Structure formats: structure tokens, C-alpha cells
Amino acid sequence: MPLQTPPLRGIHDERGAKFTEFGGWDMPVEFDSIQTEHAAVREDVGIFDVSHMGQIHVTGPDATTLMQRLTSNDVTRLDVGDSQYATITDEDGLIIDDTVVYRLPDENGEATYLFVPNAGTDEATHERWISYRNEFDLEATVDNQTDEYAMFAVQGPNAPDLVDEVTDESLTDVDRFTATMATVDGVECWTARTGYTGEDGFELIVPASEAEDIWAQFDCQPCGLGARDTLRIEAGLLLAGQDFDLESNPRTPYETGIGFTVALDTEFVGRDALEAAREDGFDEELVGFQLIDRGIPRHGYDITNMDGRVIGTVTSGTMSPTLDQPIGLGYVPSEYADPGTTLQVVVRGQSKKARVETIPFIDTV
Amino acid sequence: MSFDIPDDRQYLESHEWALETDDDTVRVGITDFAQDELGDVVFVELPDEGDDLSQEAEFGVIESIKAVSDLYAPVGGEVVAINEELFNAPELVNDDPFGDGWMLEIDPADTDELANLLSADEYEAQVA
């Protein structure tokens, strides 16, 4: 199957970016160096093309009911402009995907939503929404707009000032996890104070046809998926397909440390299973750890206890550019999950000592 | 993008270079192309001095933030020096792959093995 390309593929190529396949998309992984890009976001500001993220628009009289039944959080808490982190779970309460739900300005007097599924999952998610809507005879329009929009993330301590300069409107009153329409270069963009780096900043959803001009307005370090990965691991944020995956690593939101996305007082697919999971407790938890011995933990490496018994697997790992220390995430039995606990990670056949740390690894906004 | 490929040394297809030194040892590192492909190098694992290697045997591991790669010996022989600077400053491999980013020196058991390596022109044809 051919890879999907972001609208700015050619611009990135001209800029000298290296590319990688991610979720079926051909995305820039590195423009200059991961360390340079990472440092720009931690210390100043950087811009990411995250057009591989999906955009699904839901409106109509039953839009709220549909969103409520298919996402784990409580969408009725959202006012216009609010956003909410949620999971999409199956009947067993296992995470199919995680997503951010935005409440857009009402259309025809009805609540309207935009949500952002992960790369490569937009079609399946769209089908899930349509199928559920039809089965329960709900009146809602579900539109997969992934091809129509590009998405950029401007992140870093100086990102709010830069975005504020670029938009016609003042964005100083836009709080974290809220969003508004803002005009960039004459084009209206959905501009949300959210992000995936642990830093302050905005994500902009922009018409694909205008993406090039809007990208050009941001005079800052372009960043690729490589830096996005090191930044999000430091911030303890999850990567779908790695830190949870319905096929290879099925997990509930509780095991994954995002129980706050579960509103058990709402009715959604997976709710009953999750209520039972919360009452019964769970055996394993996602922890962060730092390697004490020399080496770098990587996705798929075994985690053992100090006796060498395999107790878990590394789901994400890297050399942290900020801390200059090797760090990772992985699931271990709860008795090994307390910060300070000593474990081992098997790096190419050699056991390396590691210590469980509190996540996030760095201070985040 | 063009890469440095100095013609005073020889190359392996796996992107290591070999340079004969004045004291008849062979200095080994990785190429400019290889360091660029890897990106920011953050960890290098090298053998101990005194270890014996055979030609094209794995002698260590190099890790960048995004990738792990094995390192292969261009010639067989005894490891007579390793660049311990790389343990504290692995970025030297990015900054100066043919100079300060060298990795080890081998006392070759059989200098004829050097004839098996690629010339600069042959290596350039491979990475072009």
C-alpha cells in the first residue's frame, strides 16, 4: 500500500529532512538533528508537522450521545473550545486508541465535535463511529476530514508568543486544553493550547490547501518525529502501537496510568469491564525507569527482577537529551512499580541495572 | 547530500573505514555517511585492549538516539588501542568521524586482508 504523504512533503524534502514510515504515512523524522530539535522545544520553540494525525468531525442532534458512547471520558463536561483526552476502548475495556476530543462552535444550535485519532487509525475509527451510529439509530453526521486538513504543533516555552505574533487575534487568554478559531495569513485555523511534548504551545488544524503558507509563517526550528518521540518519553506521554496496542500489548487505561480518562458515571463501550477492572485491581502497571548501568533501553527489551526473572517488557526507551540519561517506559507487576525499585533491563543479552522513576521524567506544564 | 570519503583509507560495505598508521597498526572508525544515517550518537560499546578479532567480526555497538548498529572489524588482529574518549563524548563520531571519532586500533594478523576492502571510489559508488 502506498504511503500517505503530508501536504508539506515536498517542502520538508527541500529543507533536507529525512523521512520515515509512521502509521502508514511518510513523515519527516529529522530535519537537523534530534538533539538540536529537542533542545529547541525545551528551551525556545519548534514546529512539527503532525498531519498524520486524523481529524474526524461529528455533528447533529445525537453527536454528544455518539461521542459519549464511544469515548471513555465525559464529553458533556466540554464547553465550546474545551478539549479532553480520552480513550476509545473495546467491550473488554482495552484501549483501541487514545484521542483528543475538541468541542467546536455549535452548528445549527447543536454541539459539534472534532476528535483526533492516531496516525493510520482514522478510517477504522470513522467506520466504528458510523457503524455504532447506525446500529443505535443515532442522528449524527460523522465526517473523516483527515485528508482535508494538515496539523502543526508549535511547542516550547516561547511557542505561545510566536503563535500570538502570527495570528490576527490575541491568544493570551487561551488556557491549556482550550482552543479557538484564529486567523493566520487570512486563513481560519482551529488553534488549541495542547501538545505532546510536555511544553506549553499550540496545535493548529489548518486546511491542507493553505498548509504551506501557514507553515511558512512560523520562523522557528522545524522538528521531526525523532524529537517528538524523545520529548514525549521524557514527558511520560504514551505512544499508540507501542505503549499500548490492542493486538500486541492490550491494556486498560488503568494499567496504562491514564485512569483519569475514564468517566465511569457515563455509558460507553467498555465501561462495565473497566468498572470491574477498577474494583478487582490490576496486576501490572506502566512505570518509568532510568538505566543506571551504561546502555540504552529499546522497545521490546526484557525487564527482569534482580534475580533475572523476566517480569516485563520495555515499551518505549531512549537516551534522554534533556537528562543525558537512558530512560524508558514499560509494564511490570505492581509490586515492582514503586519509584526507587531496582530492576534490570536486558540490553543485547546483558543485564543492565535500572531504577523505577516517577513519570514524567521532567517538569511539564 | 555529499559525504566526505577520504581516499587515504579503505572501507567495508558496512561503513567502517580502515587507515594504516605509521606504526603498522590499522585505525578503525565509521564513515561520514554512516554517522549521518545514524544521527546523534549517544553510546559506543568497544572491545577491550588485547582482544582478538577476525576480519568482519562484530567488535562493538554504536547507538544513536534513533538506532542501534553493530560495528565490524575491517581486518583481523589484536586490539591494541581503543578511543576511550568516546565513552564520555560519543558525539565525536558525529563531529569528526574520520579523525577524533576513531574507535580502535588493530595490530593486523595478516595485512593481506586489507586487499579485501573497498577503495574510496568503490565505497563512494556504494553510497551514491
Side-chain angles (χ1 to χ4, degrees):
Chain A
M1 205 166 108
L3 292 179
Q4 286 184 273
T5 54
L8 296 190
R9 174 69 171 74
I11 298 290
H12 301 327
D13 196 24
E14 282 173 24
R15 173 61 176 70
K18 292 177 184 166
F19 291 82
T20 191
E21 188 276 333
F22 187 83
W25 287 71
D26 191 25
M27 297 302 294
V29 65
E30 194 176 352
F31 286 86
D32 292 297
S33 92
I34 291 174
Q35 285 178 334
T36 301
E37 295 162 28
H38 185 107
V41 173
R42 286 279 177 256
E43 295 162 16
D44 185 9
V45 51
I47 185 168
F48 301 80
D49 183 353
V50 287
S51 298
H52 59 300
M53 303 297 287
Q55 284 90 32
I56 296 182
H57 182 270
V58 185
T59 191
D62 294 327
T64 300
T65 304
L66 185 59
M67 294 301 296
Q68 194 77 320
R69 299 248 176 105
L70 291 176
T71 62
S72 61
N73 217 328
D74 183 359
V75 295
T76 66
R77 291 183 200 154
L78 297 176
D79 291 323
V80 171
D82 287 347
S83 72
Q84 182 179 72
Y85 184 42
T87 60
I88 301 164
T89 48
D90 69 5
E91 288 287 353
D92 297 323
L94 299 168
I95 305 172
I96 299 170
D97 202 359
D98 63 348
T99 188
V100 174
V101 179
Y102 298 100
R103 183 162 166 197
L104 298 176
D106 292 354
E107 290 183 13
N108 304 317
E110 287 155 356
T112 299
Y113 302 90
L114 173 73
F115 71 99
V116 178
N118 280 294
T121 65
D122 57 291
E123 284 180 22
T125 307
H126 180 240
E127 283 169 21
R128 184 177 181 82
W129 255 244
I130 295 285
S131 162
Y132 191 94
R133 177 199 67 185
N134 293 347
E135 185 180 342
F136 289 90
D137 200 21
L138 298 174
E139 196 176 334
T141 303
V142 183
D143 191 10
N144 182 359
Q145 299 179 333
T146 303
D147 291 342
E148 295 164 45
Y149 288 92
M151 187 167 172
F152 304 147
V154 187
Q155 299 281 298
N158 293 328
D161 286 344
L162 178 62
V163 177
D164 199 50
E165 274 173 34
V166 166
T167 55
D168 290 355
E169 301 82 357
S170 169
L171 297 178
T172 49
D173 292 338
V174 175
D175 294 328
R176 284 289 293 167
F177 300 108
T178 65
T180 186
M181 281 292 180
T183 314
V184 181
D185 203 30
V187 179
E188 281 206 318
C189 308
W190 185 244
T191 307
R193 199 161 192 165
T194 50
Y196 190 62
T197 59
E199 297 296 328
D200 202 353
F202 285 86
E203 291 176 297
L204 293 92
I205 295 174
V206 311
S209 56
E210 311 290 341
E212 198 172 314
D213 289 339
I214 292 170
W215 177 268
Q217 300 299 309
F218 291 93
D219 182 17
C220 63
Q221 173 71 50
C223 304
L225 290 181
R228 195 165 183 253
D229 197 49
T230 53
L231 289 157
R232 69 95 193 166
I233 295 176
E234 288 181 353
L237 300 170
L238 305 170
L239 183 63
Q242 243 176 251
D243 298 310
F244 60 84
D245 184 273
L246 193 58
E247 297 298 320
S248 63
N249 189 15
R251 297 290 173 181
T252 67
Y254 295 124
E255 293 169 287
T256 308
I258 53 171
F260 62 89
T261 62
V262 179
L264 287 176
D265 54 350
T266 66
E267 286 300 324
F268 64 92
V269 175
R271 181 217 164 273
D272 294 349
L274 285 173
E275 183 175 43
R278 200 181 68 157
E279 283 174 7
D280 296 346
F282 37 92
D283 298 332
E284 296 192 338
E285 296 175 42
L286 188 75
V287 296
F289 58 85
Q290 178 179 322
L291 235 57
I292 300 165
D293 291 335
R294 282 166 45 83
I296 300 173
R298 304 276 183 182
H299 173 68
Y301 287 3
D302 283 341
I303 300 172
T304 73
N305 64 9
M306 295 309 285
D307 296 331
R309 182 168 62 84
V310 176
I311 56 169
T313 306
V314 177
T315 53
S316 287
T318 191
M319 176 65 93
S320 159
T322 303
L323 303 171
D324 196 24
Q325 297 287 346
I327 59 171
L329 303 171
Y331 290 90
V332 295
S334 297
E335 62 263 36
Y336 294 99
D338 291 336
T341 304
T342 311
L343 306 167
Q344 297 182 106
V345 175
V346 184
V347 177
R348 293 183 301 277
Q350 292 184 335
S351 290
K352 308 280 188 178
K353 200 182 284 183
R355 184 179 58 240
V356 176
E357 300 283 337
T358 305
I359 41 181
F361 293 97
I362 54 149
D363 291 335
T364 59
V365 290
Chain B
M1 194 167 201
S2 67
F3 298 98
D4 285 343
I5 304 178
D7 60 9
D8 61 351
R9 60 198 79 195
Q10 294 172 281
Y11 299 88
L12 273 180
E13 285 180 8
S14 50
H15 309 292
E16 292 80 6
W17 53 258
L19 175 69
E20 290 183 87
T21 67
D22 293 341
D23 49 2
D24 295 328
T25 66
V26 174
R27 188 170 266 210
V28 178
I30 67 164
T31 65
D32 186 29
F33 172 84
Q35 70 77 23
D36 185 73
E37 285 287 297
L38 282 164
D40 304 294
V41 172
V42 289
F43 182 77
V44 180
E45 198 173 283
L46 297 175
D48 294 323
E49 285 181 24
D51 283 1
D52 275 316
L53 301 171
S54 54
Q55 190 174 36
E56 298 197 8
E58 278 179 36
F59 73 74
V61 173
I62 186 165
E63 295 201 40
S64 66
I65 291 178
K66 67 183 179 193
V68 186
S69 191
D70 292 323
L71 297 163
Y72 298 94
V75 292
E78 183 187 343
V79 177
V80 292
I82 58 168
N83 185 0
E84 294 184 0
E85 288 288 305
L86 297 183
F87 298 142
N88 295 320
E91 64 275 11
L92 287 172
V93 177
N94 293 118
D95 297 343
D96 192 7
F98 295 113
D100 290 344
W102 68 279
M103 292 174 176
L104 56 130
E105 286 179 355
I106 297 171
D107 181 11
D110 177 3
T111 50
D112 288 350
E113 286 182 345
L114 287 163
N116 301 333
L117 303 178
L118 302 176
S119 68
D121 286 346
E122 288 166 334
Y123 180 69
E124 185 170 15
Q126 180 192 315
V127 300

